[in-house]
Amino acid sequence: MNIRNYNKYFHLHTISGIIITVLLYVIFFAGSFAFFKNEINNWQNNRPQANFAPKDLDYNILIDSLGNQLNLYGRDVSFYMNERSRMISLNVSASKDTLDPKASERNFGLYDTATQQKQTYTEAYSLGEFLYRLHFLAQLNGLVDIKFAPFGYFVAGLVSFFFLFALITGLLVHWQKIVSNFYVFRPWEKLKTVWTDLHTALGVISFPFQLVFAITGAYFLLNYSLVATAMSSFGYGGDMEKFNKDVYDDREAKEIVFQNVPLAEQINVNDYLLKTIERWDDPVISGISINNYGDESMTVIINGRAKDKKQLNSRGEIRYHIATGEVEEVSNPNENPGYNYIFSNIVYLLHFGSFGGLATRIVYFLVGIAGCVVIISGVLIWLVARDKKNVPEHKRKFNFWLANIYMAICLSMYPVTALTFIAVKLNPTGGQSFIYSFYLWSWLIASVLLSIRKNIYKTNRDCLLVGSIIGFMIPIFNGVVTGNWIWVSWSNHYSDILLIDLFWIIVPLITLYSWKVVRNKQEKKLSTESTEE
């Protein structure tokens, strides 16, 4: 590669990287935790999944309970299941029966299948949900009104796109020495050398994963913009239904039209579920919907997929038309679901690591944290390269302040996240407002204080130390508050709660060791400088 092209790629890599640094770090850090979203939620609320399976729930009793709150006639009733949680989502739509005095009222929330208690979304809002939504900047939605996309999603999509740009230019910059640099890691050298080696080595190791994250993230989050562009520019004339059919789905089902004729018979949803399980050879059930409840047009719709060991990409949907007895199988999970579905679903599986079990998600977590290290090391390398005597003083000050603020915002996420784990354990029912207030205010205060101190080394050192100390306390707080000590969770097979407790033992051990290495290197550097003087 000639020097001119090298300089172009280098500057493009540097500029694109420094622009997205903070937001990309937030996306990676929060996204790494989001791989264990359900386990975090279960841990916070002390509700282990245990042996719950969607097929074991009595849906008839649940429907009767909903019917006592609202007249279900003419409404759509939906249940959505998560195989890693005993909580199911409920959604009761407005009634199509205009004579119903409560026709406009709706009912939605989360239902605990063990305690039979129902909560609204904001009441049931948990730390896992917060971190999951933070990783695509959902908290920024509403700050700015843009027509074609929620603001937070659009910003996260742009960050993913620029990240893809930084990855490709970084690969081109290191291309000629990519093999030799891969094997170079000098942990006992000065910090600048360590950061450089980490940036290169971890960047090369995690490159395939980061590339997947960048492409799939941009696809998900810029989808709104793509839809708006496609509908306005490529012949769809604003027809969203036609666009969705061409891009996302290739199978149609009959439209369910409300007849406003009451159905005489009562239905047994459990029977339809058992028929579906037998028909599809024990699938994973993901959703049950009843359209136009109590009407002649009432239809029971069951969604599911084949188990991963049978088929990676699968989709099942079956419709039971109650009045006619017709069974309409839109798609069988044991058959090919079609190209459009395979493409959109494989993007989802690759992004979230949903194609494997716990080991896959642990690998994805490690890759995500490696991305955080690559980002931080890149900022430090950028700062050192511009902290030279030939650089004007005002530019050096600006570069330092920029890096100082970046590091304060990024590194403070670790202790703030650990502290929030303790906060939600002490107040598990605080809901959305409590988690928003505690996390965001703590993060803001920590970022401001660390920025004011104007010492990047101390920011790094203290965030590692404080985060480690708080992290070690998390399993202790869980044991004291709930009685689910590690050995109790182990004996009761509460694997989700045990996972989070073990996580907050292993991670603090690693970060505490990192703190020791950073401190020792700084002391060695100061000792060398004092000797030279």
Side-chain angles (χ1 to χ4, degrees):
M1 183 187 302
N2 61 57
I3 191 65
R4 183 181 178 184
N5 286 339
Y6 177 87
N7 287 335
K8 284 182 179 179
Y9 296 142
F10 180 81
H11 289 303
L12 286 172
H13 177 71
T14 304
I15 293 170
S16 59
I18 207 68
I19 288 174
I20 64 175
T21 291
V22 172
L23 292 178
L24 186 63
Y25 184 94
V26 171
I27 289 171
F28 266 99
F29 188 88
S32 298
F33 280 84
F35 291 123
F36 308 108
K37 167 188 170 182
N38 292 292
E39 287 81 2
I40 293 172
N41 293 343
N42 295 345
W43 178 91
Q44 172 185 330
N45 296 283
N46 195 35
R47 54 180 187 220
Q49 179 194 11
N51 296 319
F52 168 73
K55 63 182 180 181
D56 298 331
L57 184 63
D58 191 330
Y59 295 93
N60 295 328
I61 294 178
L62 184 51
I63 290 171
D64 289 341
S65 175
L66 291 172
N68 292 332
Q69 302 173 44
L70 282 175
N71 177 17
L72 295 182
Y73 179 68
R75 300 179 187 270
D76 297 336
V77 183
S78 303
F79 309 104
Y80 303 100
M81 299 79 168
N82 187 321
E83 58 185 314
R84 291 201 293 269
S85 174
R86 73 188 196 196
M87 302 291 287
I88 64 174
S89 299
L90 308 176
N91 189 1
V92 181
S93 73
S95 177
K96 302 177 183 70
D97 179 13
T98 56
L99 297 179
D100 185 351
K102 297 183 178 180
S104 61
E105 290 188 18
R106 302 179 60 193
N107 193 324
F108 57 92
L110 296 174
Y111 177 80
D112 190 332
T113 57
T115 64
Q116 299 182 357
Q117 293 180 338
K118 180 178 169 295
Q119 294 176 298
T120 65
Y121 175 77
T122 54
E123 290 172 342
Y125 196 88
S126 298
L127 181 57
E129 180 73 8
F130 174 84
L131 293 171
Y132 167 71
R133 296 184 66 79
L134 181 61
H135 109 274
F136 47 85
L137 308 181
Q139 286 79 358
L140 296 181
N141 290 344
L143 289 181
V144 178
D145 185 21
I146 52 179
K147 293 182 179 180
F148 52 84
F151 179 66
Y153 300 168
F154 180 67
V155 172
L158 287 180
V159 170
S160 297
F161 179 77
F162 279 108
F163 178 47
L164 178 62
F165 198 75
L167 282 172
I168 295 173
T169 52
L171 184 67
L172 292 172
V173 166
H174 294 290
W175 182 255
Q176 290 182 326
K177 296 183 178 180
I178 197 168
V179 176
S180 59
N181 287 350
F182 178 79
Y183 293 100
V184 175
F185 183 58
R186 295 157 286 184
W188 312 119
E189 296 292 333
K190 57 185 179 179
L191 278 174
K192 177 188 174 183
T193 304
V194 174
W195 288 123
T196 303
D197 291 347
L198 275 174
H199 188 77
T200 305
L202 286 180
V204 172
I205 293 171
S206 62
F207 179 84
F209 291 90
Q210 312 295 4
L211 188 64
V212 168
F213 290 151
I215 294 173
T216 56
Y219 170 80
F220 283 134
L221 295 162
L222 293 178
N223 230 5
Y224 293 95
S225 313
L226 294 174
V227 167
T229 303
M231 290 184 63
S232 61
S233 306
F234 298 115
Y236 288 94
D239 190 342
M240 176 68 80
E241 184 177 345
K242 186 176 187 301
F243 177 83
N244 286 336
K245 181 179 181 299
D246 288 349
V247 176
Y248 300 112
D249 201 357
D250 60 343
R251 302 194 180 195
E252 293 185 356
K254 295 179 182 178
E255 183 182 358
I256 304 171
V257 180
F258 181 64
Q259 303 294 329
N260 201 16
V261 179
L263 188 69
E265 62 181 293
Q266 291 286 337
I267 66 164
N268 188 328
V269 178
N270 297 332
D271 286 348
Y272 290 107
L273 178 61
L274 292 175
K275 289 179 184 178
T276 304
I277 291 173
E278 183 178 354
R279 182 182 184 123
W280 287 347
D281 189 22
D282 194 23
V284 176
I285 300 299
S286 58
I288 300 176
S289 299
I290 305 170
N291 283 21
N292 302 338
Y293 186 90
D295 185 65
E296 281 282 344
S297 61
M298 181 166 63
T299 306
V300 175
I301 304 171
I302 299 178
N303 298 94
R305 61 176 177 81
K307 292 182 178 178
D308 292 335
K309 63 182 180 181
K310 292 183 180 180
Q311 190 170 331
L312 175 63
N313 238 326
S314 66
R315 175 185 62 170
E317 180 179 331
I318 191 167
R319 299 184 172 203
Y320 297 95
H321 299 273
I322 308 304
T324 63
E326 179 188 0
V327 178
E328 180 187 2
E329 188 173 62
V330 180
S331 57
N332 188 309
N334 301 307
E335 298 175 356
N336 189 331
Y339 168 77
N340 291 342
Y341 175 82
I342 288 176
F343 171 75
S344 59
N345 193 50
I346 202 69
V347 171
Y348 177 88
L349 295 175
L350 287 173
H351 188 83
F352 292 101
S354 303
F355 56 86
L358 178 61
T360 302
R361 289 188 289 139
I362 291 175
V363 170
Y364 266 56
F365 171 83
L366 295 175
V367 172
I369 296 301
C372 294
V373 176
V374 170
I375 293 167
I376 291 298
S377 58
V379 173
L380 294 174
I381 294 169
W382 175 86
L383 177 62
V384 171
R386 284 153 183 78
D387 189 23
K388 302 291 178 61
K389 293 181 179 179
N390 62 330
V391 178
E393 183 64 21
H394 69 279
K395 289 186 177 181
R396 293 172 64 185
K397 287 183 178 179
F398 173 80
N399 293 339
F400 172 79
W401 269 105
L402 185 64
N404 179 53
I405 293 172
Y406 276 9
M407 296 293 282
I409 296 173
C410 294
L411 294 176
S412 60
M413 283 192 76
Y414 177 43
V416 167
T417 301
L419 188 61
T420 308
F421 267 82
I422 293 178
V424 297
K425 177 53 64 175
L426 295 176
N427 184 20
T429 60
Q432 186 175 16
S433 60
F434 173 74
I435 294 175
Y436 266 60
S437 299
F438 187 91
Y439 194 101
L440 297 178
W441 279 110
S442 300
W443 191 12
L444 176 62
I445 292 170
S447 300
V448 170
L449 292 177
L450 292 172
S451 298
I452 292 173
R453 192 164 59 167
K454 297 187 297 185
N455 191 313
I456 293 177
Y457 158 70
K458 289 183 178 180
T459 295
N460 187 18
R461 180 198 67 185
D462 294 348
C463 286
L464 288 172
L465 178 61
V466 174
S468 300
I469 294 172
I470 297 174
F472 281 126
M473 295 169 63
I474 291 173
I476 298 174
F477 270 86
N478 182 42
V480 171
V481 172
T482 67
N484 274 333
W485 298 93
I486 289 178
W487 53 89
V488 175
S489 297
W490 173 270
S491 62
N492 290 331
H493 305 288
Y494 296 160
S495 57
D496 40 7
I497 294 178
L498 178 63
L499 174 67
I500 301 303
D501 282 340
L502 290 178
F503 174 92
W504 282 113
I505 292 175
I506 297 171
V507 170
L509 282 173
I510 296 172
T511 53
L512 190 62
Y513 176 75
S514 301
W515 165 79
K516 182 180 179 182
V517 170
V518 169
R519 188 194 62 175
N520 290 345
K521 286 189 175 297
Q522 185 67 13
E523 290 178 350
K524 182 179 179 181
K525 176 184 176 182
L526 294 175
S527 176
T528 303
E529 290 175 353
S530 61
T531 302
E532 291 175 353
E533 291 176 359

